[in-house]
Amino acid sequence: MQKSRKWHSIALCIMIVTAIFLTGCVGVNNTSSNADQDSGGEGKVEGETITLMTNDSTKAGWSAYQKKIEEATGVKLNIIVTPTNPDDMVAKMTTILSSGDNTIDLMHVNDELITAFSRADYLEPLEKEVMTPEIVKNFSEQYIKDIPTYNGSIFSVPSYLEILAFWVNNELLKKTGMEAPKSKEEFLEYAKAVTKDGVYGYGGSWEKSYVFNEIGTFVNLFGGDYFDWTNPKTKEALQFMYDLAHKEKVTPISQLADIYDPMNQKFIDGKYGMLFMYTGAIPTFEEAGKFSPEQLNIEPMPTFETNDAFIASWHYVLNKSSEKKAASKKVLQYIASPDGQLAYSEMSGRLPARLDVINNPKFTAKGLESVKEYISNSTLRGRPLVPQAMEFVNGIGAIFQKYISDEISLDEAVEQAQKEIARLAK
């Protein structure tokens, strides 16, 4: 996700861009020493050193991964570790890019930041030499359109894939004699069947900065549009979520305070029959001794009107002010290749972003067959983000919470959300 709570105040950083530039608080070297490199041309790149800012370099497998990049490209990597505090990370990256600082060539950023930085014209387009049509067809093309594409250009190489999947407690399911829900009707039937004695059929994380993903999932399932809350199908999805808590009483209103961690723990403890959660939770459930087809497992996304699912990633991006574009693109070409994607997966333990690598019979990973089911049968979409990501996420989440808490009606929630969308989704 990618947990959007971590990426606080992207809007604030974007708003202070002008102030940062005028104060000159970052030393910037804008003198080009190589015309070919400055233009991203065909200059010799072997033996060149570029600088990458990433938080992956603290992982145990990083040295081996870096060696593979350097051997495959002939380009040396100088690593700058991303600040560990998320707010500091956002501020640092925004300062570098907005001020024209060319000391960092490549950065590793999340969905929220690629959305903000591409719209702010801080990044180098990659569709001509790196993310060509021949390469893009091996990724989720809908996701590429939704997140790293802006005004016809592609601004990143996704490094891994996480699916916001449908999880079912199969121990509870077995007691009902049912199969995993495949439709809206079966979803409700199962939820009602297991809701008793402190157990709820459905669990969520409805804290205002987390519920964004869940609202979006239900809007997808009903065939609605997150950016149009007046759409009847969007309203139907919102009403459905309200009814889960109030009419059917199969999910607790107390989860308005829950982020992912308490939701996951309740799922582990057998308190929830099903939920939506990223595939990145597999290690958490496995460490608890609960990840298996007989216990907590990923099931195919049920089809209400659609069975679309969100995916999320982190991305390698190229600083538009870099004077080493050719060498940087050489590295990005490797990262976008099957070998590069496999190398990242081996280093990080995450699934490759390239679908052909995932579908390769030689590739293995926990939960892989469930992921392949999503790749084959669901449309994998990027989340509906705007440049002021956290302001948008929190604003919509706060409106949803007021609606669920009966402070406002559905029509009032729609009106307020649409004003927020009109203000930020420009």
Side-chain angles (χ1 to χ4, degrees):
M1 106 171 296
Q2 326 302 305
K3 299 178 181 178
S4 51
R5 179 183 179 91
K6 292 182 178 180
W7 315 118
H8 178 66
S9 296
I10 290 177
L12 175 61
C13 290
I14 298 300
M15 289 169 62
I16 64 172
V17 162
T18 303
I20 293 171
F21 183 78
L22 291 175
T23 57
C25 59
V26 177
V28 180
N29 174 14
N30 284 315
T31 303
S32 174
S33 60
N34 185 318
D36 283 338
Q37 291 298 308
D38 185 51
S39 63
E42 298 295 328
K44 183 179 179 181
V45 302
E46 188 172 352
E48 189 88 40
T49 298
I50 67 170
T51 300
L52 164 65
M53 176 175 282
T54 177
N55 59 9
D56 280 337
S57 59
T58 58
K59 290 181 167 60
W62 176 263
S63 294
Y65 175 61
Q66 181 173 338
K67 183 178 179 180
K68 288 179 181 179
I69 294 175
E70 293 177 342
E71 289 180 346
T73 65
V75 177
K76 300 296 183 182
L77 297 183
N78 174 46
I79 304 301
I80 300 296
V81 180
T82 304
T84 55
N85 179 279
D87 290 348
D88 292 343
M89 180 197 75
V90 173
K92 180 70 172 178
M93 289 182 168
T94 303
T95 299
I96 291 167
L97 295 173
S98 65
S99 64
D101 186 342
N102 57 30
T103 60
I104 303 294
D105 302 295
L106 299 178
M107 290 181 175
H108 199 214
V109 303
N110 64 356
D111 283 349
E112 288 85 348
L113 288 176
I114 177 66
T115 302
F117 293 161
S118 61
R119 274 65 172 174
D121 196 29
Y122 295 159
L123 306 177
E124 180 74 9
L126 302 175
E127 69 277 359
K128 292 183 180 179
E129 297 164 83
V130 181
M131 294 296 283
T132 63
E134 188 66 22
I135 296 297
V136 167
K137 72 179 184 181
N138 296 297
F139 291 80
S140 168
E141 295 187 70
Q142 185 62 52
Y143 176 74
I144 297 296
K145 291 176 183 177
D146 289 341
I147 299 296
T149 300
Y150 178 63
N151 280 350
S153 290
I154 301 174
F155 289 94
S156 77
V157 177
S159 57
Y160 68 81
L161 173 152
E162 280 199 7
I163 298 174
L164 188 55
F166 179 53
W167 289 78
V168 173
N169 183 326
N170 284 308
E171 291 178 315
L172 294 177
L173 182 68
K174 184 178 180 180
K175 293 177 182 178
T176 68
M178 300 177 184
E179 295 183 350
K182 296 180 176 63
S183 66
K184 178 179 69 174
E185 292 73 23
E186 291 178 1
F187 183 99
L188 280 174
E189 183 181 6
Y190 171 57
K192 292 176 183 178
V194 298
T195 299
K196 57 185 175 182
D197 302 327
V199 174
Y200 288 92
Y202 177 77
S205 54
W206 287 5
E207 193 274 338
K208 71 175 183 178
S209 63
Y210 277 70
V211 73
F212 177 87
N213 290 334
E214 218 164 318
I215 298 171
T217 295
F218 280 108
V219 169
N220 280 343
L221 291 176
F222 278 90
D225 180 351
Y226 201 100
F227 291 119
D228 182 8
W229 281 40
T230 66
N231 183 313
K233 295 183 183 299
T234 304
K235 294 175 71 173
E236 188 178 0
L238 296 165
Q239 183 68 59
F240 185 81
M241 294 179 75
Y242 178 92
D243 287 345
L244 289 177
H246 290 280
K247 179 182 176 182
E248 310 297 348
K249 301 186 185 302
V250 295
T251 200
I253 295 178
S254 60
Q255 69 193 16
L256 287 169
D258 283 355
I259 60 175
Y260 283 151
D261 288 345
M263 179 189 76
N264 288 342
Q265 188 59 53
K266 290 172 187 176
F267 196 43
I268 289 169
D269 293 340
K271 299 299 183 182
Y272 289 151
M274 54 186 168
L275 48 76
F276 296 107
M277 184 57 196
Y278 282 105
T279 51
I282 289 175
T284 298
F285 298 145
E286 187 174 36
E287 288 172 12
K290 293 290 186 177
F291 178 64
S292 75
E294 296 76 30
Q295 299 173 294
L296 309 182
N297 200 39
I298 300 169
E299 301 294 342
M301 186 67 78
T303 301
F304 290 13
E305 182 161 325
T306 81
N307 67 344
D308 295 357
F310 283 141
I311 62 174
S313 185
W314 277 60
H315 308 250
Y316 286 101
V317 298
L318 174 54
N319 181 358
K320 193 173 185 179
S321 297
S322 168
E323 294 183 351
K324 300 178 179 179
K325 291 189 176 71
S328 297
K329 288 177 181 178
K330 184 75 172 177
V331 169
L332 291 174
Q333 287 167 350
Y334 173 75
I335 291 171
S337 73
D339 286 346
Q341 291 274 305
L342 186 59
Y344 186 87
S345 177
E346 291 171 348
M347 180 274 294
S348 67
R350 297 180 181 273
L351 292 171
R354 281 187 64 134
L355 306 186
D356 58 336
V357 177
I358 290 177
N359 285 322
N360 188 316
K362 295 181 179 179
F363 180 75
T364 60
K366 293 285 185 180
L368 182 59
E369 292 308 311
S370 297
V371 170
K372 287 183 176 180
E373 167 75 28
Y374 278 75
I375 292 171
S376 298
N377 298 315
S378 293
T379 298
L380 302 179
R381 298 184 173 277
R383 293 169 296 151
L385 297 171
V386 301
Q388 301 89 344
M390 283 313 303
E391 186 176 357
F392 183 56
V393 166
N394 286 323
I396 294 296
I399 293 166
F400 175 81
Q401 286 200 331
K402 288 191 292 183
Y403 168 52
I404 295 296
S405 301
D406 282 329
E407 296 177 34
I408 58 175
S409 67
L410 176 57
D411 287 341
E412 289 171 323
V414 167
E415 181 181 1
Q416 291 181 23
Q418 213 56 44
K419 287 180 180 178
E420 193 73 356
I421 291 165
R423 184 174 71 88
L424 295 174
K426 298 178 181 179

